[in-house]
């Protein structure tokens, strides 16, 4: 059995941090997402989840925690792209009504 890996890459573009997540966002990858958001440069953070192939409650929790962390700092976390798997979980959980989604 091949273990899926979650990769998290961050770059700074025009005073905002752009974080791209690829692979399975589960209990193994969630801490990497949380760390990337926590260490983001001042300003807003864009989270690109278009290449996420699986997301569980741990992955969703990392997104929510990031949103709450940045909101407390008067900053925004914006989900700029979402795979169908991610969008479905956001919709089913009701999170899509409480977090910034870029259409």
């Amino acid at each position: 059995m091949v273990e899926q890996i979650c990769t998290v890459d961050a770059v700074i573009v025009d005073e905002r941090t752009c974080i791209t997540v690829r692979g399975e966002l589960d209990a193994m990858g969630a801490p990497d997402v949380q760390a990337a958001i926590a260490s983001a440069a001042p300003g807003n953070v864009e989270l690109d989840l278009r290449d996420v192939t699986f997301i569980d409650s741990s992955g969703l929790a990392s997104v929510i925690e990031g949103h709450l962390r940045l909101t407390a700092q008067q900053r925004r976390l914006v989900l700029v792209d979402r795979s169908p798997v991610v969008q479905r979980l956001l919709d089913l959980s009701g999170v899509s009504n409480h977090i910034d989604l870029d259409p």
Side-chain angles (χ1 to χ4, degrees):
M1 184 168 152
V2 176
E3 181 180 331
Q4 285 290 322
I5 296 175
C6 178
T7 62
V8 180
D9 298 305
V11 297
I12 298 172
V13 178
D14 297 330
E15 298 183 20
R16 68 184 186 282
T17 302
C18 302
I19 300 171
T20 302
V21 182
R22 293 180 183 86
E24 294 188 0
L25 182 47
D26 55 14
M28 297 296 289
D32 294 336
V33 172
Q34 290 173 334
I37 293 171
S39 64
N44 294 329
V45 176
E46 293 183 351
L47 190 59
D48 182 337
L49 303 172
R50 81 178 86 198
D51 293 324
V52 172
T53 57
F54 173 83
I55 184 170
D56 67 3
S57 60
S58 299
L60 181 61
S62 69
V63 173
I64 294 168
E65 188 272 334
H67 167 73
L68 294 173
R69 172 188 294 271
L70 294 175
T71 298
Q73 298 172 2
Q74 309 284 318
R75 298 163 63 196
R76 291 179 58 212
L77 175 69
V78 180
L79 305 187
V80 293
D81 279 305
R82 297 150 320 270
S83 69
V85 170
V86 171
Q87 187 63 54
R88 178 170 164 76
L89 182 59
L90 292 172
D91 292 340
L92 288 173
S93 64
V95 172
S96 60
N97 297 323
H98 301 283
I99 199 164
D100 292 325
L101 303 175
D102 186 38

